[in-house]
């Protein structure tokens, strides 16, 4: 009987570790998502790096994913220098990061997916956080609005809503011009709130939205029917 060489045994061990790590990452991602139609994970590491619990590169691709009720059409992520406790993962314990991981990625959300997310608390809170500095200047209250539709145009976001207290009443539109000021700040320009009869607010001076130091947005684009964003975000342990 010919015994397997030590190198073959080592290679099989590494392939098993790669398979287990890939499965663990996919499992962790699926626990974060309530729905995903396609999910692909690719680990970029040498044998020695894997055995030491270091992944120099990791790519993740997902389409039609739903996170906390928010539908994301397409997402592509690239992470570097990931530190993991491989021994604990091989024992069946959940994946846990040992250090902050910078992640570069592109996110695409189509208008239909955005409208499918109108009941998401995550999206509703984001809209309210944006408008809380805008709406006090007029007679509307951001927390008493039912959002019926979102329209994406050229660098323009249009929110169509109606007061909860008067669901059969007059609807209104909020027009928000969106620009990237720098990596951590977005700028809302030419803010307008209109009904079919009246202009409730018309302001050209910008509103600034601070995204925090864990974010570094390099590009954001609004075209008819689609919002796309490219940049970096830090994933904390």
């Amino acid at each position: 009987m010919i015994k397997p060489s030590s190198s073959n045994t080592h290679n099989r061990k590494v392939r098993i570790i790669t398979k287990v790590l890939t499965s663990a990452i996919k499992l962790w991602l699926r626990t974060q998502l309530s729905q995903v139609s396609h999910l692909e994970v690719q680990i970029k590491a040498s044998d020695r790096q894997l055995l030491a619990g270091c992944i120099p590169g990791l790519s993740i691709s997902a389409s039609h994913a739903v996170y906390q009720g928010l539908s994301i059409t397409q997402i592509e992520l690239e992470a570097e220098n990931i530190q993991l406790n491989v021994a604990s993962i091989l024992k069946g314990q959940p994946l846990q990061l040992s250090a902050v991981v910078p992640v570069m990625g592109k996110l695409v959300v189509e208008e239909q997916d955005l409208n499918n997310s109108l009941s998401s608390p995550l999206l509703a809170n984001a809209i309210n956080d944006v408008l809380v500095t805008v709406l006090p200047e007029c007679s509307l209250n951001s927390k008493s609005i039912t959002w019926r539709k979102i329209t994406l145009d050229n660098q323009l976001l249009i929110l169509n809503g109606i007061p909860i207290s008067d669901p059969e009443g007059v609807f209104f539109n909020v027009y928000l011009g969106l620009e990237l000021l720098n990596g951590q700040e977005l700028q809302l320009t030419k803010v307008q709130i209109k009904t079919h009869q009246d202009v409730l607010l018309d302001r050209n001076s910008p509103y600034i939205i601070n995204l925090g130091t864990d974010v570094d947005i390099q590009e954001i684009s609004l075209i008819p029917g689609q919002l796309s964003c490219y940049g970096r975000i830090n994933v904390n342990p």
Side-chain angles (χ1 to χ4, degrees):
M1 179 181 295
I2 301 177
K3 294 183 179 180
S5 67
S6 60
S7 61
N8 288 337
T9 302
H10 176 80
N11 289 337
R12 282 199 298 270
K13 183 178 180 181
V14 171
R15 285 196 296 270
I16 291 173
I17 293 174
T18 303
K19 185 176 181 179
V20 171
L21 282 176
T22 302
S23 297
I25 293 170
K26 282 187 175 182
L27 178 62
W28 180 81
L29 289 169
R30 289 185 184 278
T31 63
Q32 306 299 307
L33 305 172
S34 58
Q35 179 181 323
V36 60
S37 65
H38 171 77
L39 178 61
E40 183 177 341
V41 175
Q42 183 179 2
I43 293 175
K44 304 170 185 177
S46 68
D47 300 353
R48 180 174 296 180
Q49 289 165 332
L50 274 180
L51 292 172
C54 175
I55 302 177
L58 174 70
S59 62
I60 297 171
S61 174
S63 59
H64 300 289
V66 179
Y67 175 72
Q68 295 187 17
L70 179 62
S71 297
I72 302 171
T73 309
Q74 183 71 32
I75 187 166
E76 303 283 343
L77 302 175
E78 293 281 345
E80 297 180 345
N81 300 321
I82 303 170
Q83 302 293 326
L84 297 172
N85 188 331
V86 175
S88 64
I89 295 173
L90 293 176
K91 292 177 182 178
Q93 297 178 12
L95 182 149
Q96 188 170 359
L97 298 175
S98 302
V100 175
V101 178
V103 178
M104 294 297 298
K106 180 179 181 179
L107 180 146
V108 176
V109 181
E110 294 181 353
E111 186 176 282
Q112 185 58 55
D113 282 329
L114 203 55
N115 280 288
N116 290 341
S117 307
L118 282 174
S119 60
S120 163
L122 188 66
L123 181 59
N125 290 336
I127 292 175
N128 284 332
D129 288 346
V130 169
L131 296 183
V132 72
T133 57
V134 177
L135 295 183
E137 299 188 22
C138 65
S139 60
L140 300 174
N141 185 321
S142 64
K143 293 186 178 180
S144 62
I145 298 169
T146 297
W147 299 109
R148 306 195 308 178
K149 184 181 179 182
I150 299 176
T151 301
L152 303 178
D153 207 338
N154 286 316
Q155 299 305 115
L156 183 65
L157 186 71
I158 306 171
L159 308 174
N160 176 267
I162 196 166
I164 293 175
S165 60
D166 189 14
E168 301 300 324
V170 177
F171 69 86
F172 60 92
N173 289 323
V174 180
Y175 299 84
L176 302 170
L178 183 64
E179 296 178 2
L180 181 63
L181 190 60
N182 56 57
Q184 286 77 43
E185 293 180 315
L186 297 178
Q187 181 172 264
L188 300 178
T189 61
K190 300 178 181 178
V191 177
Q192 290 184 320
I193 302 176
K194 298 190 291 187
T195 68
H196 69 285
Q197 294 179 328
D198 302 307
V199 177
L200 303 179
L201 178 68
D202 189 355
R203 178 174 174 176
N204 287 321
S205 56
Y207 295 90
I208 306 300
I209 302 173
N210 194 303
L211 303 175
T213 56
D214 280 334
V215 175
D216 183 13
I217 304 299
Q218 298 184 9
E219 182 182 346
I220 190 166
S221 174
L222 261 175
I223 61 174
Q226 187 182 93
L227 166 67
S228 62
C229 177
Y230 176 77
R232 175 191 58 79
I233 186 169
N234 289 333
V235 178
N236 297 299

